[in-house]
Amino acid sequence: MLIILGIFIIVGILETMTPHLTRKTIVFGVSIPEPYVKHPQLKLWKKHYSQVIAGIAGLFLVGQITLYLSPIQEEKASLISFILLYVMLLLSSGLYMSYHVKTKKLKVQEQWEAQIKAVYVTDLSIRQNEETLSPIFFSVPIIITLALIAFTYMNYESIPEVFATHWNGAGEVDGWTQKSRLSVISMPLILLAIQISFFMMNQGMKSAKIQLSAQAKEASIHRELTQRKYGSWYLAAINFSMTILFVVLHYTTVILQEQTAPYFFPLFLVFNVVTLGGLLVFIWKLSKSNERFDEVHTNETAVTDDQYWKWGVFYCNKNDPSLLVPKKFGIGWTVNFANKWCYILIAITLLPILLVIFI
């Protein structure tokens, strides 16, 4: 429950700060011409959004603390907690859409695009300075998991007909699974899917298009390189910590047949620290690299790609070979739905999970 409480706090902070972490030229998923990034109405809307989300997050956090202190059963409390979390995210999404529509209307009403000159901004030397990690960092966990799968099948006969697969908050077994060729590798199979998706995402970040500003070119270059560098490192940190967690749990419970999984919960806490702490570091680094636009020298702005975005959330551009593109709202990356590799990535991630659930 304490972990869920931590997730509530992190998500609340992230949702509250999102409008201020996005690139200055993008407000609520709408591309803003650079001479208008400091428009007072936009600043007011971002402030109002953060205030409302902070209030909602605070209210839900109080509800979560109350739930934590109540005598309700842990399983029911966990279910209610996740429902509260999804409701909070749903409310923030609804508020985002409201301001997205308002921002688009303001842009059209004041005819911003008619009063500025759109230019293409590029720098072919940028990719030489990229510091995304080598594919080897994402290949090693995959090799480890494949070796674990092979080792599991080598010891298949010694695995009991029923083995532990779920534990309660006290570390006691409360779920069992019947042995089969699929069930004994279900955990490594899910891990492998996540590792392959991380590998593809790292490669996708390297090949993603670079978006530069006309008024703050150097600052935008710094932001692009920072997002790629720390995004790659963050993925690698999650990848290795998750691999250690899953491998230890699988080896302990399936191969050694120990039902208590003594090392799992400390490792799970470490994994959460890496995931949440790494996210905070990533946010901090990205916020420091954001463009400021303290001075606007001309009426020029970089060419936008709004026509390829649906609601500022879904990107679909068949002329763009990129698999991943930076999000228009918030931090991180999203897929190009016009790229066939996008669906391969989704299938690789979901197929093992579906197999485990339905077969």
Side-chain angles (χ1 to χ4, degrees), residues 50-240:
S50 294
Q51 289 174 339
V52 173
I53 294 300
I56 293 174
L59 183 64
F60 277 73
L61 180 60
V62 171
Q64 177 61 29
I65 294 174
T66 303
L67 187 64
Y68 174 71
L69 298 175
S70 69
I72 191 171
Q73 292 182 352
E74 183 178 350
E75 289 188 359
K76 291 183 179 180
S78 298
L79 177 61
I80 295 174
S81 295
F82 281 109
I83 292 175
L84 289 174
L85 181 61
Y86 285 123
V87 170
M88 184 174 74
L89 292 174
L90 185 63
L91 290 174
S92 67
S93 298
L95 188 61
Y96 158 78
M97 285 304 304
S98 171
Y99 280 113
H100 173 77
V101 173
K102 289 181 180 180
T103 304
K104 288 183 68 174
K105 287 182 178 179
L106 179 66
K107 182 179 178 180
V108 173
Q109 289 173 355
E110 298 195 358
Q111 300 181 336
W112 290 347
E113 291 184 330
Q115 302 177 45
I116 52 92
K117 178 182 179 182
V119 297
Y120 288 94
V121 185
T122 185
D123 188 332
L124 300 179
S125 65
I126 296 177
R127 294 195 183 276
Q128 299 175 5
N129 300 319
E130 283 190 346
E131 297 183 64
T132 50
L133 292 174
S134 166
I136 189 66
F137 285 91
F138 295 87
S139 300
V140 170
I142 293 176
I143 295 172
I144 292 174
T145 302
L146 289 174
L148 180 64
I149 292 174
F151 184 76
T152 301
Y153 279 136
M154 289 171 60
N155 293 271
Y156 182 78
E157 296 302 326
S158 63
I159 298 174
E161 292 301 318
V162 177
F163 54 92
T165 53
H166 192 271
W167 297 262
N168 59 25
E172 301 168 341
V173 179
D174 61 0
W176 305 83
T177 295
Q178 190 77 25
K179 183 176 80 169
S180 70
R181 290 288 176 178
L182 178 61
S183 66
V184 295
I185 63 164
S186 60
M187 194 180 303
L189 201 61
I190 294 174
L191 176 62
L192 183 63
I194 296 173
Q195 291 168 339
I196 293 174
S197 67
F198 279 2
F199 180 94
M200 294 179 65
M201 288 170 65
N202 185 65
Q203 295 304 106
M205 282 192 288
K206 284 187 175 183
S207 60
K209 68 178 181 179
I210 297 175
Q211 301 175 347
L212 302 181
S213 301
Q215 305 282 349
K217 180 181 174 182
E218 294 303 321
S220 60
I221 289 175
H222 180 54
R223 178 186 170 88
E224 288 287 329
L225 293 178
T226 297
Q227 183 164 358
R228 283 164 168 75
K229 174 182 177 180
Y230 290 101
S232 176
W233 289 13
Y234 180 51
L235 280 181
I238 295 177
N239 202 359
F240 276 97

Side-chain angles (χ1 to χ4, degrees), residues 4 10 15 35 42 113 127 195 249 261 310 315 340 351:
I4 297 176
I10 296 297
E15 289 293 315
L42 298 178
E113 291 184 330
R127 294 195 183 276
Q195 291 168 339
L249 179 62
K310 184 67 172 178
Y315 181 73
K340 64 180 181 181
L351 185 58

Side-chain angles (χ1 to χ4, degrees), residues 29-44:
V30 180
S31 296
I32 306 299
E34 292 169 44
Y36 298 95
V37 293
K38 292 196 171 183
H39 192 287
Q41 185 63 67
L42 298 178
K43 295 174 67 174
L44 183 63

